[in-house]
Amino acid sequence: MEQNPKSVRMWIITCLLFILGQAMENDRDFMMCGTWRHGKASRNLKYDLKTGCKEIEISANESTLSVQGSITATCTRSSSIPLKSNPLQNQSNFCVFWEPLLDLLIVQVNGKNHTLCESHGLQGNCCTDLSQGNHKNAALYGIVNGSTHGDIIRYDVTEVYRFRGGSINCKEKFCDEASQKHSGANMIEEVVMKSNKTGRVDLPCAQSTIIEMKEGFTGLNFTLPVPQTVPPNMIPSVYLPSCLKSQSRNTSKVVCTYYQNKTLFQRGSSDAVLLGGIVGLSVENEIIKNLPERVRIRFHHSALPPNHSRSCVSWDTRRDNEVTWRYDGCYTVKIHDTETECCCNHLTYFAILVQVEQKATVRHLQALTFITAVGCAVSLVSCLVLFYWLCYRRGKKTQISLVHRGLVVAIFLLCLFFILTGTLANVGNKNVCKITGSLLHYALLSTLCWMAMEVFHTFLLIRKVFSSTIPTWIFYLVGFGLPVLLVGILLLIQDIYKVDIYGEREIVPSDDVNNPYRMCWMLENEKSLLAHYIINVGLLAVVVSSGSVMLFLVVREIRNRPDWKKIHVAFLSIWGLTCLFGTTWGLGFLDFGPLSETILFLFCIINSLQGFFLMLRYYALERMKKKDRSISDGSSSGSSKQHMLQTHEKS
């Protein structure tokens, strides 16, 4: 018997739709949408919901859209809701949303939501994985283009759609789904917030608590909810500052979540691992960043083996779609070998990242530190003596003498703050360490600036017959004022972007990694390193290069003097000018290769004793001047330029 091709085609489509209905994606959440074809009279939404896990029936006729069945965990409701009617409208778009984990059922008609079952917390066992049952066709009124999750079930007018459910452990299924997605942690916090429950919320993969911040919130210390498998001494604690409460809202909700399972987050670099659990903090419908008072999260963990470091990190899901742990916005306080506090100026996910690779260490750190401290102490005394000579024994206050004084004061401050930085870093006061670090940075920049002024002033003396006509206050403005400007800009950046530039810095010795040397200096975050390379290294490069050029020019100008036939005079002149022009700091650029340790020792010895060398140079030249008064007063046999060079050399 010949079959109608149209009938065959419809039969194939029907079979495919049936197979699709049976094998449709069994999502935990359910969404069924369609177009309700109805009459022009008054309409209503009718529902009859009971507990259990049998089936849900969605039907429609000329005047009623109906949702009924037995699929809820705790919700039992039956009623009718009148819908807004439009005589000119004979069809309406609708969707039925069912979230079994929350026991939440919402029907949306023409864009307006009607909550049939409200959420009262997360459910354990729930009715989900709804699959298609037997549907009933209609002639005129009913549902057309019915679909689940966007997949069309039937194009024809259908009076009744039926879906059968199965009872499962919803919490476990939800955690399984979350662990397979990059946004799994966000899914958990959204569900916790939707649960509309204040207090503890438990999931197999996370434990949460919702805290309400009401008017007059003054801050709160609390311990996070954790699984029973976590020992009491390992439970993390959180401090929420008062500035977290928005002034524009009467009540704000904070979701605090603890994730013991790290599979949601361990997708970062393979050379680092997460230590312990992860803490997630968020405020409902708000983005929290740049807090004036930081949130503090205290982690308890096992002691780390040698050559491992720990740092507080955060993952901002608004900034990075995939898990990316960053150091920005947090600083690490190592309270104990088994206790670490993270102080952060924003809310997101926080953890402690352990670097598996060995720390960058310094060989002979104890010896280098001792040598530098002794050298700085000697330079401190030498600068005081030299300053006294320049002020009270020099007699006439020449511009040369005034420029020398500025350099002596800068070196004195540099040595003083370097000696203090190690002591103050161990006091434990963060603000004191920040101030000390900024002062040490200022003293270093001032020393480099004054060395540059010495180079510039010497250039003026070489190229001019008489002394420089530039006012002395210009030299002091550059030597002391420019470093104030540079450090002030860094402090302003620190205040605007809420990122620490100065603070406690650790230098790890290679022979004892568990006993690092602490000092107050610039930190190792992105902005601090950028400032270091631009300001410190840039200024040092300018000083060393210009000082080297000027040293060559001066030696070329005065090498034909009779005094230079004496070896000790030539050596003293070259060495004195080398310290004066700061070219010895160029050893810092040679710290590589097989001679790096030797270079490092020379760098520490020479530059820490720089004040002593300047005093020694001044003293030796004064003695030479007294022995050769006729040359220092200037003879008629030499030109006036030679006289100027000689006077400068012996000043």
Side-chain angles (χ1 to χ4, degrees):
M1 182 178 62
E2 184 179 357
Q3 294 182 348
N4 189 341
K6 184 175 180 180
S7 300
V8 173
R9 186 166 60 251
M10 289 300 299
W11 180 81
I12 294 174
I13 292 175
T14 303
C15 291
L16 289 174
L17 288 174
F18 176 78
I19 296 172
L20 180 63
Q22 298 299 321
M24 63 178 253
E25 182 182 0
N26 290 334
D27 289 329
R28 174 180 50 83
D29 296 338
F30 173 78
M31 180 181 72
M32 189 270 177
C33 297
T35 301
W36 173 24
R37 187 175 293 174
H38 50 72
K40 298 181 179 180
S42 60
R43 300 180 294 276
N44 59 81
L45 171 63
K46 182 180 179 182
Y47 58 95
D48 182 14
L49 301 171
K50 300 176 182 179
T51 59
C53 189
K54 293 182 180 179
E55 68 175 12
I56 182 173
E57 182 180 289
I58 302 171
S59 60
N61 54 35
E62 183 180 3
S63 61
T64 303
L65 176 64
S66 176
V67 179
Q68 57 186 353
S70 175
I71 60 168
T72 63
T74 59
C75 176
T76 302
R77 297 188 65 182
S78 178
S79 184
S80 179
I81 302 173
L83 300 176
K84 184 177 180 180
S85 301
N86 185 349
L88 301 178
Q89 183 180 6
N90 63 356
Q91 62 182 21
S92 301
N93 295 321
F94 77 94
C95 283
V96 178
F97 302 99
W98 165 238
E99 295 190 44
L101 179 63
L102 300 172
D103 208 26
L104 176 66
L105 196 149
I106 298 173
V107 176
Q108 184 184 81
V109 182
N110 287 332
K112 184 177 180 179
N113 289 339
H114 304 275
T115 302
L116 308 188
C117 285
E118 297 181 351
S119 174
H120 294 285
L122 304 183
Q123 306 301 316
N125 292 323
C126 56
C127 192
T128 183
D129 289 341
L130 300 181
S131 58
Q132 294 184 39
N134 296 323
H135 308 314
K136 182 180 179 181
N137 294 335
L140 182 60
Y141 300 109
I143 301 170
V144 296
N145 300 328
S147 66
T148 56
H149 298 283
D151 297 326
I152 294 294
I153 303 173
R154 305 181 71 172
Y155 292 98
D156 299 335
V157 181
T158 305
E159 181 181 355
V160 179
Y161 281 92
R162 294 184 180 91
F163 301 92
R164 296 186 299 268
S167 180
I168 63 169
N169 189 315
C170 252
K171 291 184 178 181
E172 290 183 356
K173 183 175 178 61
F174 173 72
C175 286
D176 290 341
E177 291 180 3
S179 63
Q180 297 172 7
K181 298 181 180 180
H182 293 303
S183 59
N186 287 346
M187 290 172 55
I188 292 174
E189 290 200 358
E190 289 174 2
V191 166
V192 171
M193 189 64 72
K194 284 182 180 180
S195 67
N196 198 28
K197 179 181 178 182
T198 302
R200 177 163 177 154
V201 179
D202 286 318
L203 285 168
C205 52
Q207 288 71 41
S208 297
T209 183
I210 300 178
I211 296 174
E212 286 190 347
M213 299 184 297
K214 299 182 179 180
E215 291 291 340
F217 179 73
T218 58
L220 180 64
N221 266 309
F222 63 96
T223 56
L224 286 171
V226 296
Q228 295 180 354
T229 56
V230 177
N233 62 336
M234 301 293 284
I235 300 176
S237 60
V238 175
Y239 167 72
L240 302 177
S242 58
C243 59
L244 200 59
K245 168 69 173 62
S246 174
Q247 300 297 325
S248 60
R249 296 189 176 190
N250 294 328
T251 303
S252 297
K253 290 183 179 180
V254 184
V255 179
C256 310
T257 309
Y258 177 77
Y259 302 88
Q260 187 181 20
N261 188 348
K262 293 180 284 189
T263 56
L264 289 169
F265 303 92
Q266 191 68 49
R267 297 190 179 100
S269 175
S270 59
D271 61 355
V273 295
L274 296 176
L275 179 64
I278 298 92
V279 174
L281 299 175
S282 64
V283 176
E284 182 182 20
N285 300 324
E286 290 187 49
I287 297 175
I288 304 297
K289 58 183 180 179
N290 298 330
L291 291 171
E293 183 182 0
R294 292 177 180 261
V295 174
R296 299 197 299 268
I297 307 105
R298 182 167 295 192
F299 292 92
H300 303 269
H301 49 79
S302 56
L304 296 177
N307 299 343
H308 285 65
S309 64
R310 46 182 161 149
S311 301
C312 293
V313 291
S314 63
W315 170 36
D316 189 350
T317 55
R318 296 178 301 274
R319 181 177 177 181
D320 303 300
N321 292 328
E322 295 188 359
V323 177
T324 304
W325 293 109
R326 298 182 182 273
Y327 301 93
D328 299 349
C330 293
Y331 65 80
T332 308
V333 181
K334 298 172 183 176
I335 299 174
H336 191 265
D337 290 343
T338 60
E339 193 172 351
T340 305
E341 186 172 78
C342 298
C343 302
C344 305
N345 61 4
H346 60 288
L347 295 190
T348 182
Y349 301 102
F350 304 99
I352 298 177
L353 199 65
V354 177
Q355 298 292 336
V356 179
E357 76 275 11
Q358 186 176 359
K359 293 180 182 179
T361 58
V362 178
R363 297 185 64 183
H364 312 296
L365 179 61
Q366 187 174 1
L368 292 170
T369 305
F370 177 77
I371 290 171
T372 307
V374 172
C376 287
V378 173
S379 288
L380 276 177
V381 179
S382 302
C383 287
L384 290 175
V385 175
L386 183 54
F387 189 79
Y388 171 77
W389 277 345
L390 291 172
C391 290
Y392 300 105
R393 297 289 298 276
R394 182 68 182 173
K396 183 180 179 182
K397 293 183 179 180
T398 62
Q399 190 177 69
I400 294 174
S401 175
L402 292 173
V403 172
H404 286 346
R405 290 183 202 178
L407 177 59
V408 170
V409 172
I411 293 177
F412 176 84
L413 293 176
L414 179 60
C415 294
L416 176 64
F417 289 127
F418 184 85
I419 292 175
L420 292 177
T421 183
T423 303
L424 295 177
N426 291 304
V427 171
N429 191 309
K430 302 181 185 65
N431 293 327
V432 171
C433 199
K434 289 180 181 179
I435 295 172
T436 306
S438 62
L439 291 175
L440 178 60
H441 190 208
Y442 167 79
L444 174 64
L445 296 179
S446 181
T447 300
L448 295 177
C449 286
W450 272 111
M451 289 175 178
M453 291 300 96
E454 290 280 4
V455 172
F456 179 67
H457 190 259
T458 304
F459 172 78
L460 295 178
L461 293 177
I462 289 178
R463 294 305 174 191
K464 293 187 177 183
V465 175
F466 302 103
S467 61
S468 170
T469 57
I470 297 178
T472 305
W473 65 267
I474 295 291
F475 293 93
Y476 277 77
L477 180 63
V478 176
F480 290 128
L482 180 59
V484 171
L485 177 63
L486 295 176
V487 175
I489 291 174
L490 293 181
L491 292 175
L492 185 63
I493 292 174
Q494 180 176 261
D495 182 65
I496 293 176
Y497 293 98
K498 304 299 180 182
V499 58
D500 292 326
I501 293 180
Y502 301 104
E504 183 183 307
R505 178 84 170 265
E506 289 188 351
I507 304 176
V508 183
S510 59
D511 53 349
D512 187 7
V513 295
N514 294 320
N515 188 25
Y517 173 75
R518 293 178 173 85
M519 65 178 295
C520 300
W521 181 235
M522 302 178 75
L523 300 177
E524 293 184 286
N525 54 49
E526 294 179 3
K527 289 184 172 57
S528 296
L529 291 176
L530 182 63
H532 168 72
Y533 286 114
I534 293 177
I535 298 177
N536 299 349
V537 178
L539 183 57
L540 181 61
V542 171
V543 171
V544 171
S545 58
S546 61
S548 301
V549 173
M550 186 52 58
L551 180 63
F552 171 77
L553 294 177
V554 170
V555 171
R556 190 181 67 176
E557 289 284 346
I558 64 178
R559 64 182 177 179
N560 295 324
R561 286 173 44 191
D563 287 349
W564 270 60
K565 296 178 181 179
K566 301 176 182 179
I567 296 178
H568 70 279
V569 175
F571 172 77
L572 184 61
S573 299
I574 293 176
W575 179 250
L577 291 173
T578 300
C579 294
L580 195 69
F581 296 157
T583 51
T584 56
W585 289 78
L587 291 171
F589 294 113
L590 304 177
D591 184 19
F592 60 88
L595 297 177
S596 61
E597 291 185 12
T598 304
I599 295 295
L600 193 57
F601 272 95
L602 288 175
F603 180 87
C604 293
I605 293 171
I606 295 173
N607 291 316
S608 64
L609 290 171
Q610 197 158 29
F612 172 74
F613 290 140
L614 291 179
M615 183 198 70
L616 189 62
R617 172 183 181 271
Y618 180 84
Y619 175 74
L621 291 178
E622 281 295 312
R623 291 197 60 180
M624 290 171 56
K625 181 179 178 181
K626 290 179 181 179
K627 290 181 180 180
D628 198 6
R629 179 66 63 179
S630 59
I631 297 178
S632 65
D633 292 336
S635 62
S636 58
S637 60
S639 66
S640 56
K641 178 180 287 188
Q642 289 175 335
H643 169 70
M644 278 302 303
L645 291 170
Q646 177 181 330
T647 303
H648 176 259
E649 175 62 21
K650 292 189 177 182
S651 64

